[in-house]
Amino acid sequence: MPLITLNNLSLSFSEKPILNKVNATILKGDKIALIGRNGEGKSTFMRVLAGLIEADDGKLKVKNGIKISYLEQTPPEDSDKKLFDIVAEGLGDIGLMLTQYQHLIEEGKLDEVAKLQEKIEQLDAWQYLHKIQTILQRFNLDYKAILSTLSVGWRRRVMLARALIKNPNVLLLDEPTNHMDISAILDLEKMLKDFHGTLVLISHDRSFIASIVNKIFDLERAHLTVFECGYTDYIKRKENLLNSQSLARQRFDKKLAQEEAWIRQGIKARRTRNEGRVRALEAMRKDFINRQQRQGKVKIHSAIQDEKRASKLVFEVKKITYQINDLELIKDFSMLVLKGDKIGIIGGNGTGKSTLIKLLIDELKPNSGNIRRSKTIKLAYFDQMRKNLNLNMQAMDFVSGGREHIDIAGKSRHIIGYLRQFLFTSKQAMSPIRMFSGGEKNRLMLAKILSQPANLLVLDEPTNDLDTETLELLEEMLLDYTGTLILISHDRTFLNNVASSTLVMDGSGIIKQYAGGYDDYLLQKQDNLNQKAKTKVKKTKKIRHITKKKLNYKQQQELDKLPEKIEKTEMKISKIQLKISNPDFFRQEKSQDVLVQLAHLEADLKCYYKRWSELE
């Protein structure tokens, strides 16, 4: 059943075509990934689907009664509203009424509460109050928290909850995984798989897209191509299509060259019987002029190069501990980082990933322990670029520091030529940065950092907003890079393709290192769990065997139940420790109650182990 139909839709901004006579149908149950290079107009296309922008020409038909929810790429920053109020807004008038009811209760205005209760009952709106509370719990959101106090990742969760609350028929998501940790991405992935409505999403996360979508909208040079398949098959079909187009253009160019040679032969070409051939040549010339060539591929060349004099030992970390007030982010951690290592760092938001990097590069000092650093380190740090991004500066001046030429791997390059490798035209190179899309800004920051000579490259979430092609070429460059790489990323595919080892931070202060990328970490973690489970079973069987003759029936029953009690208590403790690792935890009113609960659980666990020892 068609929900949204696009008929010859066209849209241009400042003479740049975004959509050119686009035709497509979005059906009930479709789960679509909108894919295209940075700056192609994907977010603009989403806003057209959401009804926020009207096309210049053509028709957008939306089936009557269809509810559309839209999650924008950039969440709001300055809202002082409570999370309950923001999520309730997704329900329209009923949500506003429930927000008013919530405020009246908090203010103790019981007479007004009673009047509003009657109205809520008449509209049968209590179900929606429960719905708001349920979705807030599902996203681990405190309804009293203020939006402006949250990190970007948590704000995205709030806005996603708001988009889902009205149970839309069509859900539009623009980069929903940006700034989310892997755990949150996996939760969202499961939620969208279970979502029964129609989904259109923009995302750079290839693992995320591959697990969800069943159709691809490919936006390139204002033209939309529809692929009726999942992401993996799309990659193969797209490659075949590009090869076919390349061959067709080669044949066209060869034919054109032959006709141009023929027309230059002179009078013979102007005979009456050849007038048709002349007209055909003129048409071919026109097609050649109007033909929109696919932009060249990104060619990432960096100034970052290995130095023979660079020390083999980059960092020697010895039993460092770092805490903020009572929150212990890093506990008794040791590690060797050698020249050429490519280390990925993963963990939830607030677990201390950026803190670890700042400790390594001497921006922070550990509370205990020490870090020995190579004296030959030349650092290039991606996160610093974001802080120094002046939106009014010209792109070329940002990268070159105002110079016309920069030195790349010992060779002088003109700045515009260098930026052309990153798909920036001469006009874009001279444009202010504020004119760029989010992905183009990230690509510009990569151009800046890769122009700096360095033997230690630190990338803090470099993949946000980058298109797939740039990501793949960045991966190739990092694989060829002979220096040392430290990388924070929530992109599982990127980690799998680049990292030689992975540090996992779980929020308890303990950091574990695994060989390989994200999938390798999962396999090793599962192997460890299986081994522990086998050991536990053997130990339990051994205890049962030894104690069978010594224990009475009641004691044996108690012993049999202890392993399950211990396991459940440990799981509860782990969940609470995960909550505590959230940087916003101590702002919550119930934080002390949770800490008391944790203390009781830890005491119970101690008693269980003691009793197990006694029965043993």
Side-chain angles (χ1 to χ4, degrees), residues 522-539:
L522 289 182
L523 288 171
Q524 291 168 70
K525 181 183 176 185
Q526 190 59 49
D527 287 344
N528 291 342
L529 289 173
N530 291 341
Q531 192 60 42
K532 284 182 181 178
K534 286 178 184 176
T535 305
K536 196 171 186 178
V537 169
K538 286 179 182 176
K539 191 173 181 181

Side-chain angles (χ1 to χ4, degrees), residues 347-361:
N349 293 329
T351 54
K353 301 184 296 297
S354 295
T355 299
L356 176 59
I357 281 179
K358 289 176 181 176
L359 286 165
L360 290 175
I361 63 177

